């Protein structure tokens, strides 16, 4: 039996579709901040409820919880930008050519064949300088667009506040449009989304924080410059499946090996294996209680998310793909499996 589309495309429905399209066009430039705000609001609400049990004022409790959670995140982004620019500026102004030349000379002593050290070191130095200038110019452009950044942060803060305060009302409003025979599927999907959020927050972000703290303490104790910054980068890499902390400690290992600091090279390698081992125990223990998401889904989200949403894509990308996977799996179990 065919479906008569004209019966469904009534004037009210057409008006709603038109208004939704126009509204999406207006919201699209800041959609990433709104989505990120909804995600962060999920983490703010439990903290706000604990504070509200003592203060009895919902709005004040939410604002305090936002300060506790959001301010460290904003300071972290600022710290990474500052340290990265300082490292690049130091490299561009240092005598890096002679350092690279000395390292290549040392390496050539262990190789059975000879090569033009000056030519290779000049090429490496030129490439590193070009990369450094590109990153530095990007940071300058990033800071020059301070007005847009301020607007995005304002929308983010407002989104977190209102989603944390009125999230339940928003969910009930959406549920009121769902047909009665599909409300069970809607409720199950909402619960699955919550499980995904818990799994990624506790199983991945909390693991990243723990590994980052261990890394910052270990690198600082071993005497590496920018030890805290290296720990922060280790924690960020920990978020990406397959990567983990190994790019940092292997790079430090080879740097110490080339410079002749063999005891520290051995220690940092053992320390890196310790970080990887800790991850193998912490991540499954935290995430397995909520949702089981295939690592490939998270990997694609982490890598492609920033291409679409910028830096916030590291958070939004894996969450959207994880939620999409659980909703599809829910639909399969609810409708397809039973019908088969």
């Amino acid at each position: 039996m065919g479906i008569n589309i004209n019966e469904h495309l009534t004037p009210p429905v057409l008006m709603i579709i038109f208004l939704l399209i126009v509204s999406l066009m207006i919201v699209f430039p800041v959609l990433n901040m709104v989505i990120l705000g909804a995600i962060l609001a999920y983490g703010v609400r439990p903290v706000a409820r604990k504070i509200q049990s003592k203060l009895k004022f919902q709005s004040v409790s939410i604002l305090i919880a936002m300060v506790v959670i959001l301010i460290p995140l904003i300071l972290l982004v600022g710290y990474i930008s500052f340290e990265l620019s300082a490292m690049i500026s130091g490299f561009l102004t240092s005598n890096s050519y002679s350092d690279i030349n000395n390292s290549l000379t040392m390496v050539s002593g262990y190789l059975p064949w000879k090569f033009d050290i000056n030519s290779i070191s000049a090429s490496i130095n030129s490439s590193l300088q070009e990369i450094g200038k590109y990153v530095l110019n990007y940071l300058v452009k990033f800071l020059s667009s301070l007005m847009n950044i301020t607007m995005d942060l304002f929308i983010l803060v407002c989104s977190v506040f209102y989603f944390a305060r009125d999230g339940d009302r928003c969910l009930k409003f959406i549920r009121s449009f769902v047909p009665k025979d599909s409300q069970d599927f809607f409720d199950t999907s909402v619960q699955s989304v919550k499980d995904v959020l818990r799994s990624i927050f506790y199983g991945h972000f909390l693991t990243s924080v723990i590994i980052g703290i261990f890394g910052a303490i270990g690198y600082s104790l071993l005497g590496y410059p920018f030890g805290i910054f290296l720990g922060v980068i280790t924690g960020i890499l920990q978020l990406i499946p397959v990567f983990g902390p190994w790019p940092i400690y292997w790079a430090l290992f080879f740097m110490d090996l080339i410079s002749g600091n063999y005891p520290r090279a051995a220690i940092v390698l053992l320390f890196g294996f310790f970080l990887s081992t800790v991850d193998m125990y912490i991540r499954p223990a935290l995430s397995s209680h909520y949702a089981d998401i295939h690592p490939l889904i998270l990997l694609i989200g982490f890598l492609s998310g920033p291409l679409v949403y910028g830096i916030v894509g590291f958070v939004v990308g894996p969450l959207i793909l994880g939620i999409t996977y659980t909703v599809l799996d829910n639909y399969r179990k609810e409708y397809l499996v039973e019908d088969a």
Side-chain angles (χ1 to χ4, degrees):
M1 183 176 180
I3 299 175
N4 191 354
I5 300 179
N6 293 328
E7 293 181 0
H8 298 278
L9 294 180
T10 59
V13 173
L14 291 174
M15 181 179 293
I16 291 173
I17 294 174
F18 171 76
L19 292 175
L20 287 175
I21 294 174
V22 174
S23 300
L24 183 60
M25 292 171 61
I26 295 174
V27 176
F28 189 78
V30 295
L31 185 60
N32 56 345
M33 289 292 119
V34 176
I35 296 175
L36 183 60
I39 294 170
L40 292 177
Y42 184 79
V44 168
R45 290 185 67 184
V47 180
R49 286 174 180 173
K50 291 183 180 180
I51 299 175
Q52 187 180 352
S53 63
K54 298 181 180 181
L55 293 181
K56 306 299 181 182
F57 297 103
Q58 184 183 20
S59 297
V60 177
S61 302
I62 293 174
L63 289 173
I64 295 175
M66 288 172 60
V67 170
V68 171
I69 294 176
L70 290 182
I71 296 301
L73 293 177
I74 296 173
L75 291 177
L76 178 63
V77 174
Y79 171 77
I80 292 175
S81 301
F82 175 79
E83 290 293 335
L84 192 59
S85 61
M87 289 177 63
I88 295 172
S89 299
F91 172 77
L92 294 177
T93 56
S94 65
N95 189 15
S96 55
Y97 181 83
S98 61
D99 294 336
I100 295 174
N101 196 44
N102 293 335
S103 299
L104 289 173
T105 303
M106 184 178 298
V107 172
S108 65
Y110 298 95
L111 298 177
W113 64 86
K114 301 298 180 180
F115 52 87
D116 189 354
I117 296 176
N118 293 327
S119 176
I120 295 177
S121 61
S123 299
I124 294 175
N125 186 71
S126 177
S127 300
L128 292 176
Q129 295 241 357
E130 289 298 324
I131 294 173
K133 289 178 181 178
Y134 174 80
V135 176
L136 197 59
N137 290 333
Y138 178 82
L139 291 175
V140 171
K141 291 179 181 179
F142 179 79
L143 294 175
S144 64
S145 59
L146 188 60
M147 182 63 68
N148 294 333
I149 297 172
T150 304
M151 179 63 68
D152 288 343
L153 289 176
F154 177 75
I155 294 173
L156 175 63
V157 171
C158 292
S159 299
V160 173
F161 176 81
Y162 287 111
F163 275 117
R165 193 188 69 176
D166 304 321
D168 292 334
R169 292 171 57 187
C170 179
L171 199 59
K172 290 179 181 178
F173 177 77
I174 296 174
R175 191 178 188 275
S176 65
F177 291 95
V178 179
K180 289 185 178 180
D181 58 349
S182 300
Q183 287 185 353
D184 291 338
F185 168 72
F186 178 81
D187 294 337
T188 307
S189 298
V190 170
Q191 184 58 47
S192 298
V193 169
K194 292 180 179 179
D195 291 339
V196 172
L197 289 172
R198 292 194 189 101
S199 175
I200 293 181
F201 269 119
Y202 294 110
H204 298 278
F205 288 107
L206 187 56
T207 302
S208 169
V209 171
I210 295 173
I211 297 297
I213 292 174
F214 283 167
I217 294 174
Y219 297 141
S220 299
L221 291 177
L222 288 174
Y224 290 105
F226 303 102
I228 297 178
F229 176 74
L230 291 174
V232 171
I233 300 301
T234 299
I236 293 174
L237 290 176
Q238 184 62 41
L239 286 172
I240 306 176
V242 179
F243 277 82
W246 65 265
I248 300 296
Y249 66 76
W250 274 107
L252 295 175
F253 168 76
F254 284 115
M255 287 174 58
D256 285 337
L257 207 61
I258 292 174
S259 63
N261 194 344
Y262 302 117
R264 192 170 71 169
I267 294 174
V268 75
L269 193 61
L270 292 174
F271 177 68
F273 291 156
F274 163 76
L275 293 180
S276 298
T277 304
V278 168
D279 169 62
M280 293 172 57
Y281 285 98
I282 295 178
R283 190 190 297 266
L286 294 176
S287 61
S288 60
H289 295 289
Y290 303 105
D292 186 17
I293 304 174
H294 196 278
L296 180 61
I297 297 176
L298 297 179
L299 177 62
I300 295 173
F302 278 115
L303 296 180
S304 62
L307 299 177
V308 180
Y309 295 105
I311 191 171
V312 299
F314 284 109
V315 179
V316 175
L319 283 175
I320 290 179
L321 292 186
I323 289 172
T324 303
Y325 167 77
T326 56
V327 171
L328 289 174
D329 188 53
N330 234 12
Y331 178 82
R332 179 183 64 85
K333 294 177 181 177
E334 184 75 19
Y335 295 102
L336 302 182
V337 175
E338 291 182 357
D339 293 341

